[in-house]
Amino acid sequence: MPKLKRAEGEERATDFVESLDRGIRLLQVFGTIGGPATLSDLARAADLPRATARRILFTLEHGGFVTSDGKLFTLTPRVLTLAASYLQSSQVVTVLQPVLDRIALAAQEISSLAVLDGDEVVFIARGSPTRVFSAGLDIGYRLPAFCTSVGRVMLGQFDDGDLTARLAAMRREPMTPHTVTDPKRLLACVRGDREQGYSLVDREAEPHFRSISVPVRRYDDVIVGAINMGAHVDRVSTNEMIERFLPLLKEGAESVKSMLL
């Protein structure tokens, strides 16, 4: 007798591995605690029963991802292999890294690649003229999408209806006195950036920092990331960013479009 095919919703529900979901959640709360933590602290932060958190922690300890002195639990460097797996398997990083290096050398400034993750942007690659990253945004660094140039060019991929709903729903805490938080003004900013093909954000994410970004599109015109350059406001003007940085960013993004699948 042939097997009946499960409905899509039913298949998702039965295939969900709750223990894996809880383990990932427990790993993530280490970042919110900011140091070694007790079993009770971690269970409470992850909203898990103490016995469940204990089993998960011992499993992670067995795998080498967590260490304990008998009372306090700490992540080990092995956790970084999870991030390394993403970076090494990401086609966007592989294709864009030589571009970032090239435009950083041409501009003598650090360049960065970011992707959209929910309401935040995550920086996943960098290029430097010296290959010594003494300043700028570290790989893995997160910022709100609404007040960053990389975020605004990636938010431009959504139609006005979806964009309006996203901006209204996301947290819009001011990062500096210059941060635009009003959803109507933000909608106008993103729409304007979409039309001109780039975004320049001046002191909205950081008090003395401005940056310029362009979207990175794959072969079918879908936005998969954004590349940017930024500098201290006393060192680089907005005009210089548009005249000197923007052509390099545009050329770099266009050069990889046919290579991204």
Side-chain angles (χ1 to χ4, degrees):
M1 183 176 179
K3 294 182 178 179
L4 294 175
K5 185 176 180 181
R6 289 179 293 178
E8 184 177 347
E10 179 186 354
E11 184 174 342
R12 284 200 297 265
T14 57
D15 289 345
F16 180 77
V17 182
E18 187 176 13
S19 58
L20 178 59
D21 177 69
R22 289 176 167 180
I24 293 172
R25 196 159 81 231
L26 194 59
L27 281 173
Q28 290 174 321
V29 300
F30 275 94
T32 65
I33 293 175
T38 65
L39 170 60
S40 297
D41 289 339
L42 290 165
R44 185 165 49 251
D47 194 22
L48 293 172
R50 194 174 186 277
T52 300
R54 180 178 180 274
R55 291 194 300 271
I56 293 172
L57 285 168
F58 287 162
T59 301
L60 292 170
E61 187 175 14
H62 179 75
F65 295 99
V66 167
T67 185
S68 173
D69 62 2
K71 181 180 179 181
L72 298 175
F73 293 87
T74 309
L75 294 181
T76 72
R78 180 166 290 188
V79 173
L80 295 176
T81 63
L82 302 177
S85 295
Y86 167 74
L87 294 174
Q88 291 167 8
S89 64
S90 171
Q91 185 201 30
V92 178
V93 173
T94 301
V95 172
L96 265 296
Q97 187 62 63
V99 173
L100 295 176
D101 293 337
R102 183 176 76 246
I103 63 179
L105 184 62
Q108 288 297 296
E109 298 286 350
I110 290 174
S111 60
S112 301
L113 165 68
V115 294
L116 191 64
D117 185 18
D119 293 340
E120 296 180 315
V121 295
V122 187
F123 291 85
I124 60 173
R126 300 176 64 194
S128 169
T130 62
R131 302 300 298 173
V132 177
F133 296 148
S134 57
L137 301 172
D138 293 330
I139 293 173
Y141 191 73
R142 289 175 172 267
L143 284 171
F146 78 93
C147 63
T148 56
S149 62
V150 285
R152 288 183 185 171
V153 292
M154 287 189 283
L155 288 172
Q157 68 189 285
F158 302 107
D159 63 41
D160 286 354
D162 288 342
L163 181 59
T164 299
R166 273 179 165 264
L167 292 173
M170 68 174 58
R171 292 184 60 185
R172 302 181 307 279
E173 299 292 332
M175 305 285 284
T176 77
H178 299 276
T179 306
V180 176
T181 59
D182 179 72
K184 290 184 179 180
R185 286 185 60 194
L186 286 169
L187 177 62
C189 288
V190 175
R191 292 175 66 180
D193 291 345
R194 182 200 295 150
E195 291 178 7
Q196 67 185 6
Y198 72 91
S199 176
L200 198 161
V201 172
D202 192 2
R203 297 169 291 173
E204 291 192 46
E206 298 181 54
H208 307 291
F209 191 82
R210 58 172 59 110
S211 68
I212 188 168
S213 301
V214 301
V216 174
R217 300 177 184 272
R218 67 186 190 193
Y219 75 100
D220 57 359
D221 229 29
V222 171
I223 294 175
V224 294
I227 54 176
N228 89 323
M229 287 183 175
H232 194 280
V233 294
D234 292 336
R235 194 167 56 81
V236 179
S237 68
T238 55
N239 285 339
E240 184 177 0
M241 286 194 161
I242 294 171
E243 294 172 4
R244 191 160 69 89
F245 295 172
L246 184 58
L248 293 172
L249 291 168
K250 282 186 171 182
E251 184 278 328
E254 185 63 31
S255 70
V256 300
K257 186 175 181 179
S258 64
M259 302 166 62
L260 295 170
L261 305 178

